[in-house]
Amino acid sequence: MVAPARRRATYDDILAAPRHQVAEIVDGDLHLRPRPAKPHAAAATALVGELMWPFGRGRGGPGGWIILLEPELHLDADVLVPDLAGWRRERMRSLDDGAYFTAAPDWACEVLSPSTARLDRVDKLPIYARAAVGHVWLVDPLVRTLEVLRLDADRWSLCGTWADDARVKAEPFEAIELELGALWQDVALPAR
């Protein structure tokens, strides 16, 4: 017996998703997940705060970026919602009133959680590479790590991995020193 052809998810599936869930299309499959848990939300919020003033506003740093929380990216047939993404202003001068972005960001950040880490690492990284996203950060607030990846041709290179309260200059935001401890200062470590 021949298995029926797999139905590829469409944007209509995203529009029909419950409003309390994040919907993405990854390699033709619809992925639904609840809104981020507290450690995830705290790390993402702290990171956007650390980057917005020096890079988005140019206060204490070089400026030159548009940085957003949870933008909806339409990258060919895939629809991804990274936790944060940034575009260099020379590529995106301003934002129109559209609901999503078709221009790939220059940087994306995925804040890992136990339920999303595999999707973020295994399924979404190749899509970001195909779309020529220059850098991806993987932040894990429960183990308190930052991994910085740079796209070299069509492969990811690990620029560095830092943990706990390290102070780092991480591509593409190496113009400032980032205090990692700020990302999880309000996050209690899970019981072991």
Side-chain angles (χ1 to χ4, degrees):
M1 174 180 270
V2 176
R6 178 177 73 122
R7 179 188 168 283
R8 295 185 65 79
T10 67
Y11 195 60
D12 286 336
D13 296 316
I14 288 190
L15 295 175
R19 293 180 94 41
H20 66 281
Q21 293 193 313
V22 177
E24 296 179 297
I25 298 173
V26 179
D27 292 327
D29 293 324
L30 179 67
H31 291 266
L32 298 174
R33 66 178 188 276
R35 302 299 310 166
K38 295 171 193 173
H40 183 124
T45 302
L47 183 55
V48 80
E50 291 290 312
L51 297 176
M52 183 52 74
W53 286 104
F55 293 97
R57 298 285 178 235
R59 296 183 184 150
W65 286 79
I66 292 177
I67 299 172
L68 301 173
L69 282 166
E70 295 189 342
E72 184 175 303
L73 308 176
H74 288 227
L75 306 174
D76 295 323
D78 297 296
V79 178
L80 305 183
V81 181
D83 294 292
L84 290 91
W87 291 260
R88 295 179 190 273
R89 285 196 184 272
E90 61 260 19
R91 290 191 52 241
M92 184 181 298
R93 304 290 307 158
S94 61
L95 303 175
D96 61 29
D97 65 349
Y100 55 83
F101 297 85
T102 56
D106 296 293
W107 165 80
C109 177
E110 296 289 356
V111 179
L112 306 176
S113 63
S115 63
T116 65
R118 183 180 182 350
L119 178 71
D120 292 338
R121 288 179 176 285
V122 175
D123 300 318
K124 291 171 74 173
L125 278 176
I127 295 168
Y128 288 135
R130 280 195 305 269
V133 175
H135 290 85
V136 172
W137 287 12
L138 300 172
V139 173
D140 191 325
L142 297 180
V143 296
R144 299 182 176 196
T145 58
L146 166 65
E147 295 173 66
V148 175
L149 305 172
R150 177 183 54 238
L151 188 64
D152 290 321
D154 61 348
R155 298 185 58 188
W156 293 111
S157 295
L158 179 64
C159 297
T161 302
W162 298 272
D164 301 320
D165 295 330
R167 298 171 74 90
V168 302
K169 292 189 173 197
E171 294 181 21
F173 302 111
E174 66 271 16
I176 66 158
E177 187 175 71
L178 178 66
E179 299 175 42
L180 286 189
L183 305 186
W184 24 81
Q185 74 180 17
D186 297 322
V187 176
L189 287 173
R192 294 186 192 233

